[in-house]
Short mmCIF file of all heavy atoms in Angstrom, two decimals:
data_model
loop_
_atom_site.label_atom_id
_atom_site.label_comp_id
_atom_site.label_asym_id
_atom_site.label_seq_id
_atom_site.Cartn_x
_atom_site.Cartn_y
_atom_site.Cartn_z
N PHE A 746 51.95 99.17 103.92
CA PHE A 746 51.02 98.44 104.77
C PHE A 746 49.56 98.78 104.47
O PHE A 746 48.70 97.93 104.41
CB PHE A 746 51.37 98.69 106.22
CG PHE A 746 50.50 97.90 107.19
CD1 PHE A 746 50.68 96.54 107.36
CD2 PHE A 746 49.50 98.53 107.93
CE1 PHE A 746 49.88 95.82 108.21
CE2 PHE A 746 48.71 97.82 108.80
CZ PHE A 746 48.92 96.45 108.94
N ARG A 747 49.29 100.07 104.21
CA ARG A 747 47.93 100.48 103.93
C ARG A 747 47.47 99.92 102.55
O ARG A 747 46.29 99.60 102.38
CB ARG A 747 47.79 101.97 104.03
CG ARG A 747 47.79 102.41 105.51
CD ARG A 747 47.56 103.89 105.66
NE ARG A 747 48.64 104.73 105.14
CZ ARG A 747 49.80 104.90 105.70
NH1 ARG A 747 50.10 104.30 106.83
NH2 ARG A 747 50.72 105.68 105.17
N LEU A 748 48.38 99.78 101.59
CA LEU A 748 48.03 99.13 100.34
C LEU A 748 47.69 97.67 100.60
O LEU A 748 46.73 97.13 100.01
CB LEU A 748 49.17 99.26 99.34
CG LEU A 748 49.41 100.62 98.70
CD1 LEU A 748 50.71 100.61 97.91
CD2 LEU A 748 48.25 101.01 97.82
N TRP A 749 48.47 97.03 101.45
CA TRP A 749 48.18 95.64 101.84
C TRP A 749 46.80 95.54 102.52
O TRP A 749 46.11 94.58 102.35
CB TRP A 749 49.32 95.11 102.74
CG TRP A 749 49.03 93.77 103.32
CD1 TRP A 749 48.93 93.48 104.63
CD2 TRP A 749 48.83 92.53 102.63
NE1 TRP A 749 48.66 92.17 104.81
CE2 TRP A 749 48.61 91.54 103.57
CE3 TRP A 749 48.84 92.17 101.27
CZ2 TRP A 749 48.38 90.22 103.25
CZ3 TRP A 749 48.61 90.86 100.95
CH2 TRP A 749 48.38 89.90 101.93
N MET A 750 46.46 96.54 103.33
CA MET A 750 45.16 96.57 103.98
C MET A 750 44.05 96.49 102.93
O MET A 750 43.08 95.73 103.09
CB MET A 750 44.97 97.81 104.86
CG MET A 750 45.77 97.84 106.12
SD MET A 750 45.56 99.39 107.05
CE MET A 750 43.94 99.12 107.80
N ASP A 751 44.14 97.30 101.90
CA ASP A 751 43.16 97.28 100.81
C ASP A 751 43.02 95.90 100.21
O ASP A 751 41.93 95.41 100.02
CB ASP A 751 43.55 98.28 99.74
CG ASP A 751 43.11 99.69 100.01
OD1 ASP A 751 42.12 99.91 100.71
OD2 ASP A 751 43.79 100.62 99.52
N LEU A 752 44.17 95.31 99.88
CA LEU A 752 44.18 94.01 99.23
C LEU A 752 43.60 92.95 100.14
O LEU A 752 42.73 92.19 99.75
CB LEU A 752 45.60 93.66 98.80
CG LEU A 752 45.77 92.32 98.08
CD1 LEU A 752 45.02 92.32 96.78
CD2 LEU A 752 47.25 92.05 97.83
N LYS A 753 44.08 92.87 101.37
CA LYS A 753 43.65 91.85 102.28
C LYS A 753 42.14 91.97 102.58
O LYS A 753 41.42 90.97 102.62
CB LYS A 753 44.44 91.88 103.59
CG LYS A 753 43.99 90.83 104.57
CD LYS A 753 45.07 90.41 105.47
CE LYS A 753 44.52 89.39 106.41
NZ LYS A 753 45.33 88.30 106.65
N ALA A 754 41.66 93.18 102.84
CA ALA A 754 40.26 93.39 103.14
C ALA A 754 39.40 92.98 101.95
O ALA A 754 38.30 92.45 102.10
CB ALA A 754 40.01 94.81 103.56
N GLY A 755 39.89 93.24 100.76
CA GLY A 755 39.13 92.93 99.55
C GLY A 755 39.05 91.42 99.30
O GLY A 755 38.09 90.94 98.70
N LEU A 756 40.03 90.67 99.73
CA LEU A 756 40.07 89.23 99.49
C LEU A 756 39.48 88.41 100.61
O LEU A 756 39.18 87.22 100.44
CB LEU A 756 41.53 88.77 99.22
CG LEU A 756 42.18 89.36 97.99
CD1 LEU A 756 43.63 88.91 97.93
CD2 LEU A 756 41.45 88.93 96.72
N SER A 757 39.28 89.02 101.77
CA SER A 757 38.85 88.27 102.94
C SER A 757 37.30 88.05 102.92
O SER A 757 36.56 88.95 102.55
CB SER A 757 39.24 89.04 104.20
OG SER A 757 38.74 88.38 105.34
N PRO A 758 36.86 86.89 103.37
CA PRO A 758 35.42 86.67 103.46
C PRO A 758 34.77 87.53 104.53
O PRO A 758 33.61 87.86 104.45
CB PRO A 758 35.30 85.19 103.80
CG PRO A 758 36.62 84.75 104.28
CD PRO A 758 37.62 85.70 103.72
N SER A 759 35.55 87.92 105.54
CA SER A 759 35.04 88.80 106.59
C SER A 759 35.89 90.07 106.63
O SER A 759 37.01 90.07 107.14
CB SER A 759 35.10 88.12 107.96
OG SER A 759 34.83 89.07 108.98
N THR A 760 35.35 91.13 106.08
CA THR A 760 36.09 92.38 106.03
C THR A 760 36.42 92.86 107.44
O THR A 760 37.55 93.30 107.71
CB THR A 760 35.30 93.47 105.28
OG1 THR A 760 35.01 92.99 103.96
CG2 THR A 760 36.03 94.79 105.22
N THR A 761 35.44 92.79 108.34
CA THR A 761 35.67 93.27 109.69
C THR A 761 36.82 92.51 110.37
O THR A 761 37.70 93.12 110.97
CB THR A 761 34.40 93.11 110.55
OG1 THR A 761 33.36 93.88 109.93
CG2 THR A 761 34.60 93.59 111.96
N GLN A 762 36.81 91.19 110.24
CA GLN A 762 37.85 90.39 110.86
C GLN A 762 39.23 90.71 110.23
O GLN A 762 40.21 90.83 110.94
CB GLN A 762 37.54 88.91 110.72
CG GLN A 762 38.33 88.01 111.63
CD GLN A 762 38.05 88.24 113.11
OE1 GLN A 762 37.02 88.78 113.51
NE2 GLN A 762 38.98 87.85 113.94
N ALA A 763 39.26 90.88 108.94
CA ALA A 763 40.54 91.22 108.26
C ALA A 763 41.02 92.57 108.70
O ALA A 763 42.22 92.74 108.95
CB ALA A 763 40.33 91.16 106.75
N VAL A 764 40.13 93.52 108.81
CA VAL A 764 40.55 94.88 109.20
C VAL A 764 41.05 94.86 110.64
O VAL A 764 42.08 95.48 110.97
CB VAL A 764 39.38 95.87 109.02
CG1 VAL A 764 39.65 97.19 109.72
CG2 VAL A 764 39.08 96.12 107.55
N LEU A 765 40.38 94.14 111.52
CA LEU A 765 40.84 94.06 112.92
C LEU A 765 42.20 93.40 113.00
O LEU A 765 43.05 93.81 113.79
CB LEU A 765 39.82 93.31 113.78
CG LEU A 765 38.53 94.10 114.07
CD1 LEU A 765 37.49 93.21 114.72
CD2 LEU A 765 38.84 95.31 114.95
N GLU A 766 42.42 92.37 112.19
CA GLU A 766 43.73 91.71 112.15
C GLU A 766 44.81 92.68 111.72
O GLU A 766 45.90 92.74 112.30
CB GLU A 766 43.68 90.50 111.25
CG GLU A 766 44.99 89.73 111.14
CD GLU A 766 44.85 88.58 110.20
OE1 GLU A 766 43.80 87.89 110.15
OE2 GLU A 766 45.87 88.34 109.48
N LEU A 767 44.50 93.47 110.73
CA LEU A 767 45.47 94.45 110.22
C LEU A 767 45.70 95.58 111.25
O LEU A 767 46.81 96.02 111.42
CB LEU A 767 44.99 95.03 108.92
CG LEU A 767 45.01 94.02 107.75
CD1 LEU A 767 44.15 94.51 106.58
CD2 LEU A 767 46.44 93.78 107.31
N CYS A 768 44.66 95.95 111.95
CA CYS A 768 44.80 96.98 113.02
C CYS A 768 45.69 96.44 114.14
O CYS A 768 46.56 97.18 114.66
CB CYS A 768 43.46 97.38 113.59
SG CYS A 768 42.46 98.36 112.46
N GLU A 769 45.55 95.17 114.44
CA GLU A 769 46.41 94.58 115.46
C GLU A 769 47.89 94.60 115.00
O GLU A 769 48.78 94.93 115.78
CB GLU A 769 45.97 93.15 115.76
CG GLU A 769 46.79 92.50 116.86
CD GLU A 769 46.35 91.09 117.18
OE1 GLU A 769 45.31 90.62 116.69
OE2 GLU A 769 47.13 90.46 117.90
N LYS A 770 48.12 94.28 113.76
CA LYS A 770 49.49 94.32 113.22
C LYS A 770 50.04 95.73 113.24
O LYS A 770 51.20 95.96 113.56
CB LYS A 770 49.53 93.75 111.82
CG LYS A 770 49.35 92.24 111.81
CD LYS A 770 49.66 91.67 110.44
CE LYS A 770 49.37 90.19 110.35
NZ LYS A 770 49.87 89.38 111.43
N GLY A 771 49.18 96.69 112.96
CA GLY A 771 49.60 98.11 113.03
C GLY A 771 49.98 98.50 114.47
O GLY A 771 50.96 99.22 114.68
N GLU A 772 49.18 98.05 115.46
CA GLU A 772 49.51 98.33 116.83
C GLU A 772 50.83 97.68 117.24
O GLU A 772 51.62 98.27 118.00
CB GLU A 772 48.39 97.83 117.77
CG GLU A 772 47.09 98.62 117.65
CD GLU A 772 47.20 100.06 118.15
OE1 GLU A 772 48.18 100.41 118.86
OE2 GLU A 772 46.31 100.84 117.83
N GLU A 773 51.10 96.48 116.70
CA GLU A 773 52.38 95.81 117.01
C GLU A 773 53.55 96.60 116.43
O GLU A 773 54.60 96.74 117.07
CB GLU A 773 52.35 94.38 116.52
CG GLU A 773 51.42 93.51 117.32
CD GLU A 773 51.11 92.16 116.67
OE1 GLU A 773 51.58 91.88 115.52
OE2 GLU A 773 50.38 91.39 117.30
N GLU A 774 53.37 97.13 115.22
CA GLU A 774 54.42 97.93 114.60
C GLU A 774 54.67 99.20 115.38
O GLU A 774 55.81 99.63 115.60
CB GLU A 774 54.05 98.26 113.14
CG GLU A 774 55.09 99.04 112.40
CD GLU A 774 56.40 98.30 112.22
OE1 GLU A 774 56.41 97.06 112.17
OE2 GLU A 774 57.43 99.02 112.15
N PHE A 775 53.59 99.82 115.83
CA PHE A 775 53.71 101.02 116.67
C PHE A 775 54.49 100.71 117.93
O PHE A 775 55.49 101.40 118.28
CB PHE A 775 52.31 101.52 117.06
CG PHE A 775 52.31 102.76 117.92
CD1 PHE A 775 52.17 104.01 117.32
CD2 PHE A 775 52.43 102.70 119.28
CE1 PHE A 775 52.17 105.17 118.08
CE2 PHE A 775 52.43 103.83 120.07
CZ PHE A 775 52.29 105.07 119.48
N ARG A 776 54.12 99.64 118.62
CA ARG A 776 54.81 99.25 119.88
C ARG A 776 56.31 98.97 119.60
O ARG A 776 57.16 99.44 120.32
CB ARG A 776 54.15 97.98 120.45
CG ARG A 776 54.84 97.44 121.71
CD ARG A 776 54.49 96.00 121.95
NE ARG A 776 54.94 95.19 120.81
CZ ARG A 776 54.29 94.11 120.40
NH1 ARG A 776 53.19 93.70 120.98
NH2 ARG A 776 54.74 93.42 119.37
N ASP A 777 56.58 98.21 118.55
CA ASP A 777 57.96 97.86 118.23
C ASP A 777 58.81 99.10 117.91
O ASP A 777 59.97 99.20 118.36
CB ASP A 777 58.03 96.88 117.07
CG ASP A 777 57.42 95.51 117.41
OD1 ASP A 777 57.19 95.23 118.61
OD2 ASP A 777 57.22 94.74 116.46
N THR A 778 58.22 100.05 117.20
CA THR A 778 58.94 101.26 116.88
C THR A 778 59.23 102.06 118.14
O THR A 778 60.37 102.55 118.35
CB THR A 778 58.14 102.13 115.88
OG1 THR A 778 57.98 101.39 114.68
CG2 THR A 778 58.86 103.45 115.57
N TYR A 779 58.22 102.22 119.00
CA TYR A 779 58.44 102.95 120.27
C TYR A 779 59.51 102.25 121.11
O TYR A 779 60.36 102.87 121.71
CB TYR A 779 57.14 103.08 121.02
CG TYR A 779 56.44 104.41 120.90
CD1 TYR A 779 56.26 105.04 119.70
CD2 TYR A 779 55.96 105.04 122.04
CE1 TYR A 779 55.62 106.25 119.60
CE2 TYR A 779 55.32 106.27 121.96
CZ TYR A 779 55.14 106.88 120.74
OH TYR A 779 54.51 108.10 120.65
N GLN A 780 59.47 100.92 121.18
CA GLN A 780 60.44 100.18 121.96
C GLN A 780 61.85 100.38 121.38
O GLN A 780 62.81 100.51 122.17
CB GLN A 780 60.08 98.71 122.08
CG GLN A 780 58.89 98.49 122.98
CD GLN A 780 58.41 97.02 123.01
OE1 GLN A 780 58.72 96.24 122.13
NE2 GLN A 780 57.64 96.74 124.05
N ASP A 781 61.97 100.40 120.08
CA ASP A 781 63.28 100.68 119.46
C ASP A 781 63.78 102.05 119.84
O ASP A 781 64.95 102.25 120.16
CB ASP A 781 63.23 100.53 117.94
CG ASP A 781 63.06 99.12 117.43
OD1 ASP A 781 63.27 98.17 118.23
OD2 ASP A 781 62.73 98.95 116.25
N ILE A 782 62.90 103.02 119.75
CA ILE A 782 63.27 104.39 120.10
C ILE A 782 63.69 104.47 121.57
O ILE A 782 64.70 105.09 121.89
CB ILE A 782 62.08 105.37 119.81
CG1 ILE A 782 61.83 105.47 118.31
CG2 ILE A 782 62.37 106.74 120.42
CD1 ILE A 782 60.51 106.19 117.98
N LEU A 783 62.95 103.81 122.41
CA LEU A 783 63.27 103.83 123.85
C LEU A 783 64.63 103.20 124.12
O LEU A 783 65.39 103.68 124.96
CB LEU A 783 62.15 103.13 124.66
CG LEU A 783 60.86 103.92 124.83
CD1 LEU A 783 59.75 103.06 125.34
CD2 LEU A 783 61.11 105.12 125.74
N SER A 784 64.93 102.10 123.46
CA SER A 784 66.21 101.44 123.69
C SER A 784 67.39 102.32 123.25
O SER A 784 68.43 102.26 123.82
CB SER A 784 66.24 100.08 122.99
OG SER A 784 66.31 100.22 121.60
N GLU A 785 67.17 103.18 122.23
CA GLU A 785 68.21 104.06 121.73
C GLU A 785 68.36 105.30 122.60
O GLU A 785 69.43 105.90 122.58
CB GLU A 785 67.89 104.46 120.30
CG GLU A 785 67.87 103.38 119.30
CD GLU A 785 67.27 103.79 117.98
OE1 GLU A 785 67.06 105.01 117.75
OE2 GLU A 785 67.02 102.88 117.14
N SER A 786 67.33 105.71 123.29
CA SER A 786 67.38 107.01 123.97
C SER A 786 67.24 106.91 125.49
O SER A 786 67.19 107.93 126.16
CB SER A 786 66.26 107.90 123.41
OG SER A 786 65.01 107.29 123.62
N HIS A 787 67.27 105.71 126.03
CA HIS A 787 66.97 105.52 127.45
C HIS A 787 67.87 106.36 128.38
O HIS A 787 67.38 107.00 129.29
CB HIS A 787 67.07 104.03 127.82
CG HIS A 787 66.67 103.75 129.22
ND1 HIS A 787 65.43 104.11 129.70
CD2 HIS A 787 67.34 103.14 130.22
CE1 HIS A 787 65.37 103.74 130.98
NE2 HIS A 787 66.49 103.15 131.32
N ASP A 788 69.15 106.35 128.14
CA ASP A 788 70.07 107.06 129.05
C ASP A 788 70.32 108.49 128.66
O ASP A 788 70.87 109.26 129.47
CB ASP A 788 71.44 106.31 129.06
CG ASP A 788 71.29 104.91 129.64
OD1 ASP A 788 70.44 104.70 130.52
OD2 ASP A 788 72.03 104.03 129.18
N VAL A 789 69.91 108.89 127.48
CA VAL A 789 70.27 110.21 126.96
C VAL A 789 69.17 111.22 127.14
O VAL A 789 69.44 112.38 127.46
CB VAL A 789 70.67 110.11 125.47
CG1 VAL A 789 71.14 111.47 124.93
CG2 VAL A 789 71.73 109.05 125.28
#
């Protein structure tokens, strides 16, 4: 994903907008991972 960040930011006309979009995707991945962990460990 961080390699993709380099590529996308380099190709985007707005580096700031591209970086923020990638940060949002990173936050979504974080949330999804935590939710997966929670679903596996809720009762234990």
Side-chain angles (χ1 to χ4, degrees):
F746 183 73
R747 286 184 294 285
L748 287 171
W749 172 243
M750 286 178 78
D751 276 331
L752 181 62
K753 179 153 179 136
L756 296 175
S757 177
S759 170
T760 302
T761 300
Q762 197 64 21
V764 168
L765 287 170
E766 181 181 321
L767 292 163
C768 289
E769 184 180 349
K770 289 191 184 314
E772 290 293 344
E773 290 166 357
E774 181 64 28
F775 181 95
R776 177 201 60 213
D777 293 347
T778 299
Y779 259 48
Q780 287 175 341
D781 288 347
I782 293 169
L783 285 167
S784 70
E785 295 168 12
S786 59
H787 186 56
D788 297 327
V789 184

